[in-house]
Amino acid sequence: MKKTTLTIFALALSVSAFASTAQTEKTDKAAGKEKSETAQKLKESVKNHFKFYGFIRNYFTYDSHESKAGTGDLFYWTPTDSRPDANGKDLNQINQFRFLSLTSRVGVDVSGYKAGSLEFGAKVEADFYAGLTGSTGTAQLRLRQAFMTMTADGLGKNKAQKSVLKVGQAWHPMAADMPDIYSLETGAPFGPFSRTPLIQEDYSFGKYWTATAALIWQMQYTSQGPSWDATTGKYKNTASADYMKYGCVPEVYIGISYANKGFLARAGVDVLSIRPRNWEDDATAKSVKAVNRETSVMGFAYLQYKKDLFAFKAKTTLGQAGEHFGLMSGYVDYKDEDGNWAYDPLRVSATWLSLSYGKKYKGAIMAGYSENLGTAKEHVVANTYFNKNGYASINRMFRIEPEFTYNLGKFTVGIEYMLTSAQYGSKVPASGDDVAAVAKAASRGLYTGNLHWVMNHRVQAMVRFTW
């Protein structure tokens, strides 16, 4: 009897253990299925809403002349003025070479999130050129773009209108259209170049017309102005966003676009008003607040036509100052009739055009021209606040830039030649110059004595892998 009881008890334990094991396996299987479904949902969410992109890019660059260039000398601005030695040879005509991959880029686009009739998106983009001093240093990750968008479609009586609100750091609306050139400066300084904090509204009236309005601040690309140096007791020429901060007024842009069958036309006007000084700059009057602002107006027009493998693009910019988005310009200061510091913007004209054809084998060429037109009125000029990447003594510049690229899937290799020439001058007339004409030009912020051209030849190869 005792043996029978033990046998029954053992069988009961076995059945219980089997049932427990079966239940555990069932639970584990359900948990595993749930985890798999969660992972699949996460994978689908990432696939549906997030697009990761970027590239590894290497530049191999040769220059024949000392130049103003940023981002490890890869972002080219202009050749520096000549510096003759005792024998008349230009000491700045010197060969240079560098090889860098710091313009490699990473980014993510976010899209497809909806709340009622609104759709939300975003972009975050970075590269690695921060941390450099001149052409040396350690490349560090830095912000290029970071903005959100809110889109409302199907607006208006005919449901054909669309609103896109953009908030964050993005391309300045005057800088967004660029030539088909792979060099880092992509047309600068012959066209506006700036990514900046903004609030931008694009409103489309049907298929063809879009109106754009933006309120813009400054961060990386800033205005020039006088910065007080307590050590010397004087102002020094400095690029800073403080001039806008103390001005308390955002930059304002208004524009219109038309697009139809490969053709795109765009035009806009930009207004900037800054406060270069908060007080007068001599020791006895330092406690007296400055009263004048520097206000500039800039307009531009852009044309584009694309058909099959062919693309034509052209942009012209005309207006005042614009050093905060890379144009070779700025403003001057002088004392007004009340003895206060006053400001007058230099006028500038800048134009570029580009042609490109091909896909696997692609050829392109860009040409650009820029001219400093001086101030509208004559003054006893005290200081000139010019683009920090240029020189106030530049009167005009031109560039010719042909290139060829070979594209094999996500891999691209290219070679380009860039000829950039700048005409420099002086406020001191040279032998044979019209002294009165040189003096009159100087009162408008121009350097027209001893005019001479300086040229740089740049040859640049590029290797890129994109994902």
Side-chain angles (χ1 to χ4, degrees):
M1 182 68 180
K2 187 176 181 180
K3 187 174 181 181
T4 303
T5 302
L6 289 173
T7 301
I8 293 172
F9 181 69
L11 286 172
L13 285 176
S14 298
V15 171
S16 177
F18 178 79
S20 177
T21 301
Q23 180 62 37
T24 300
E25 289 179 352
K26 184 177 181 181
T27 301
D28 289 345
K29 188 177 292 185
K33 183 179 180 182
E34 184 176 345
K35 287 182 180 179
S36 178
E37 289 176 350
T38 301
Q40 183 62 30
K41 287 180 180 179
L42 179 61
K43 184 177 180 181
E44 290 178 359
S45 177
V46 171
K47 183 178 179 181
N48 293 335
H49 299 295
F50 296 86
K51 179 184 178 183
F52 296 91
Y53 66 92
F55 53 74
I56 303 296
R57 179 167 60 184
N58 295 277
Y59 283 115
F60 306 78
T61 306
Y62 161 82
D63 287 308
S64 67
H65 197 278
E66 194 69 40
S67 301
K68 273 277 192 175
T71 316
D73 289 342
L74 298 179
F75 194 114
Y76 193 83
W77 292 100
T78 179
T80 58
D81 199 356
S82 56
R83 189 160 65 98
D85 64 10
N87 300 314
K89 292 185 178 180
D90 186 359
L91 295 174
N92 281 335
Q93 190 171 341
I94 182 170
N95 296 328
Q96 303 159 57
F97 181 80
R98 81 279 299 152
F99 159 43
L100 294 168
S101 59
L102 52 85
T103 65
S104 299
R105 189 175 304 167
V106 292
V108 57
D109 287 323
V110 184
S111 63
Y113 287 97
K114 294 185 177 182
S117 60
L118 299 177
E119 182 172 338
F120 294 88
K123 176 190 283 287
V124 177
E125 185 178 81
D127 63 12
F128 298 89
Y129 99 79
L132 295 183
T133 302
S135 58
T136 63
T138 301
Q140 301 171 4
L141 192 69
R142 64 111 193 201
L143 181 72
R144 277 176 57 87
Q145 298 188 81
F147 62 83
M148 57 151 285
T149 59
M150 183 175 70
T151 303
D153 209 345
L155 303 177
K157 292 182 179 181
N158 56 3
K159 306 296 183 181
Q161 300 177 24
K162 179 179 179 180
S163 169
V164 180
L165 176 67
K166 180 188 295 183
V167 181
Q169 164 130 335
W171 282 104
H172 192 295
M174 290 185 69
D177 302 300
M178 298 181 180
D180 285 328
I181 296 293
Y182 71 67
S183 57
L184 194 59
E185 68 282 345
T186 52
F190 303 95
F193 189 101
S194 174
R195 290 180 303 275
T196 190
L198 53 75
I199 301 172
Q200 178 175 320
E201 167 67 20
D202 295 304
Y203 196 93
S204 300
F205 300 89
K207 295 189 299 182
Y208 306 126
W209 293 95
T210 300
T212 299
L215 300 177
I216 301 164
W217 213 248
Q218 292 184 2
M219 190 185 78
Q220 179 183 358
Y221 303 91
T222 57
S223 298
Q224 293 290 129
S227 175
W228 182 256
D229 188 338
T231 304
T232 62
K234 296 180 179 180
Y235 280 103
K236 60 182 179 180
N237 190 353
T238 306
S240 174
D242 284 349
Y243 313 120
M244 172 175 272
K245 180 178 75 172
Y246 292 120
C248 295
V249 178
E251 184 179 347
V252 178
Y253 171 84
I254 298 175
I256 191 77
S257 302
Y258 173 83
N260 186 22
K261 296 181 179 179
F263 178 80
L264 171 64
R266 202 187 315 274
V269 177
D270 185 88
V271 180
L272 173 68
S273 185
I274 60 176
R275 184 179 291 279
R277 285 181 175 87
N278 289 322
W279 55 74
E280 299 301 335
D281 66 347
D282 62 87
T284 58
K286 185 177 178 182
S287 60
V288 178
K289 285 189 176 181
V291 297
N292 292 317
R293 306 173 68 92
E294 192 275 318
T295 301
S296 57
V297 180
M298 184 73 65
F300 89 107
Y302 174 76
L303 292 175
Q304 172 183 297
Y305 178 73
K306 291 184 176 182
K307 185 176 182 180
D308 300 328
L309 301 181
F310 172 77
F312 165 83
K313 298 179 178 181
K315 180 186 285 187
T316 186
T317 308
L318 178 64
Q320 302 168 326
E323 79 280 2
H324 62 295
F325 38 53
L327 296 177
M328 286 298 170
S329 190
Y331 59 96
V332 303
D333 66 8
Y334 61 95
K335 290 286 188 172
D336 65 16
E337 58 186 13
D338 296 321
N340 298 314
W341 282 112
Y343 311 94
D344 198 1
L346 297 166
R347 298 165 300 163
V348 62
S349 172
T351 302
W352 61 258
L353 64 86
S354 75
L355 299 169
S356 64
Y357 183 84
K359 185 176 181 181
K360 184 175 182 180
Y361 302 97
K362 184 177 180 180
I365 186 170
M366 189 208 86
Y369 178 81
S370 175
E371 184 171 355
N372 182 1
L373 303 175
T375 60
K377 297 180 180 180
E378 297 178 14
H379 308 282
V380 180
V381 175
N383 305 284
T384 301
Y385 304 101
F386 205 77
N387 181 350
K388 66 179 180 179
N389 297 301
Y391 302 92
S393 54
I394 293 176
N395 287 280
R396 51 180 62 87
M397 290 175 55
F398 72 84
R399 176 175 297 165
I400 300 174
E401 186 177 354
E403 70 174 33
F404 175 79
T405 55
Y406 171 69
N407 300 281
L408 182 62
K410 296 181 178 295
F411 175 76
T412 301
V413 61
I415 185 74
E416 72 176 7
Y417 166 70
M418 179 197 296
L419 168 66
T420 305
S421 188
Q423 185 194 56
Y424 284 88
S426 171
K427 288 187 176 180
V428 178
S431 177
D433 287 341
D434 185 329
V435 176
V438 172
K440 185 174 182 179
S443 69
R444 296 175 47 240
L446 296 174
Y447 294 65
T448 58
N450 188 31
L451 293 176
H452 57 282
W453 289 89
V454 180
M455 187 176 297
N456 179 65
H457 302 274
R458 167 169 282 206
V459 179
Q460 183 165 256
M462 183 270 295
V463 177
R464 182 180 67 219
F465 177 77
T466 305
W467 64 84

